[in-house]
Amino acid sequence: MNLFLLYLLLFKAVVTSFSGMASLPVVRNDFVVTRHILTDRQLNTAIAAGRTGPGPNGLYLVSVGYFAAGLPGALAGLIALVTPAFLIIPLMHWIGAYANLPRIRGAIRAVILGSAGLLLAASIPLARDAATGPLAAVIFVASFVVLSFTRIETWWVMLGAAVAGLGVKLLG
Amino acid sequence: MPAPTLRKLTGVFLRVGNTTFGGGLPTMAALQRELVEEKKWLTMEDYALAFSLARVTPGTNVIAFCAATGARIMGWSGALAATLAETGPSAALAVLMTQGYETWRSNAWVMAGVAGTIAAVAGMMWASIWYMVRPHLTGFKSAVRSLAITLGAFAAIWKFGLSPLSVIGLAAVVGLLWKEPPGEAES
């Protein structure tokens, strides 16, 4: 895949979102639905790989880039992930004061809420792909509850889920 | 208080950014301890400005936060060093994890473990949605507005097939026109 196009697609997803995972609907639309570069399973794997280690939530884009074009693709993903962050420097100088205006703040919060709705829509096909049996359903609900309502780190949840998957295979 | 150098600055972001699990907020809290309280390279006002602007900068909040604090301490070179130190090693680890998932795809035992983690990812995504919506459920009117925008965005893409970018644009317009209820918008 053309690296510059890959960068542009990932950059578009990052620059139109306001949190790490909020770029997912745009990524899925471009890479899975429209261009068929990745499958839902690969996208799920990219998210798992990006969230298993430390670092920011958006790291799954590096894995998406890797799936699309190997190590150069991963580098394109990393550059796309960090490029919009530098917008904050002129923001700090010029429009920091406006960010607290009620209307602007309301619009930004609405974009975050809209992104949550988009994430919900994108999560349904991925959840279907992940739902391979009763154990998967239990892990799905348990990880949602643990990550939403406790302070246990994502890494432990992933490890617990992997151990549960191995345990069920061991038992038969 | 030791004066900041590019090497020391990079060291702080390398250490904190790549050893703190759990996403952006724990990392930003750890950086506050390092940069404001211990090393005193930043004032609390600088930290608060970077923290709030990171939330309105496109992309991942914590990366924007690193760029802002790095720039506040050492200009553009500080921003670049902080951003790359925060993301570089974690990105390399993400690639290794992806390679691991791919290499071991034919191993039934490994795939049993991977199937478990993939189910956990689906749950994690719903936890992310809850994390994004929860701070806006601060009162009845605020909850109605927040859920209407969230579910409206969901319906716009799920039922009506709008593109994600169109939905984000529409959400911004709705947010401009539909004012947040007074006293309930201080999340």
Side-chain angles (χ1 to χ4, degrees), chain B residues 37-132:
Chain B
E37 293 170 23
E38 291 177 15
K39 298 202 162 24
K40 302 191 188 310
W41 291 345
L42 279 179
T43 64
M44 196 57 210
E45 288 72 26
D46 286 336
Y47 174 86
L49 181 64
F51 184 85
S52 54
L53 282 181
R55 301 180 81 83
V56 301
T57 304
T60 305
N61 298 159
V62 68
I63 302 176
F65 174 83
C66 291
T69 48
R72 210 64 167 177
I73 297 167
M74 297 208 71
W76 279 95
S77 59
L80 192 62
T83 307
L84 292 180
E86 153 73 12
T87 55
S90 302
L93 186 60
V95 169
L96 288 175
M97 295 297 298
T98 313
Q99 284 176 332
Y101 278 118
E102 283 299 279
T103 304
W104 293 94
R105 195 165 46 181
S106 58
N107 184 304
W109 287 96
V110 172
M111 288 320 290
V114 169
T117 62
I118 285 179
V121 164
M124 182 204 77
M125 285 169 59
W126 281 30
S128 293
I129 295 164
W130 176 238
Y131 178 79
M132 291 162 83

Side-chain angles (χ1 to χ4, degrees), chain A residues 14-18 24 49 54 56 59 63 66-67 88 91-92 103 108-110 114 117 121 123 140 143 148 155 161-162 166, chain B residues 18 56-59 61 64 68 86 90 98-99 102 109 116 120 123 125-126 134 150 153 157 165 168 171 176 179-180 185 187:
Chain A
V14 178
V15 85
T16 53
S17 65
F18 285 87
L24 182 62
L59 275 177
S63 299
Y66 179 78
F67 273 125
I88 198 171
L91 264 178
M92 281 182 77
R103 289 272 185 194
I108 290 165
R109 287 178 175 174
S123 73
F140 167 75
S143 68
S148 295
W155 191 88
L166 282 171
Chain B
N18 297 283
V56 301
T57 304
N61 298 159
E86 153 73 12
S90 302
T98 313
Q99 284 176 332
E102 283 299 279
W109 287 96
M125 285 169 59
W126 281 30
R134 185 177 54 185
T150 304
I157 193 165
L165 292 183
I168 287 167
L176 274 173
K179 279 178 67 176
E180 292 183 305
S187 59

Side-chain angles (χ1 to χ4, degrees), chain A residues 21 24 27-28 32 38-52 60 63-64 67 122-132 140 158, chain B residues 98 101-102 114-115 117-125:
Chain A
M21 291 301 292
L24 182 62
V27 169
R28 185 172 180 276
V32 178
L38 265 67
T39 62
D40 269 330
R41 174 135 296 226
Q42 284 177 313
L43 187 55
N44 262 337
T45 305
I47 297 166
R51 286 299 296 264
T52 309
Y60 82 97
S63 299
V64 167
F67 273 125
S123 73
I124 290 173
L126 295 172
R128 276 191 197 133
D129 182 62
T132 51
F140 167 75
M158 295 289 177
Chain B
T98 313
Y101 278 118
E102 283 299 279
V114 169
T117 62
I118 285 179
V121 164
M124 182 204 77
M125 285 169 59

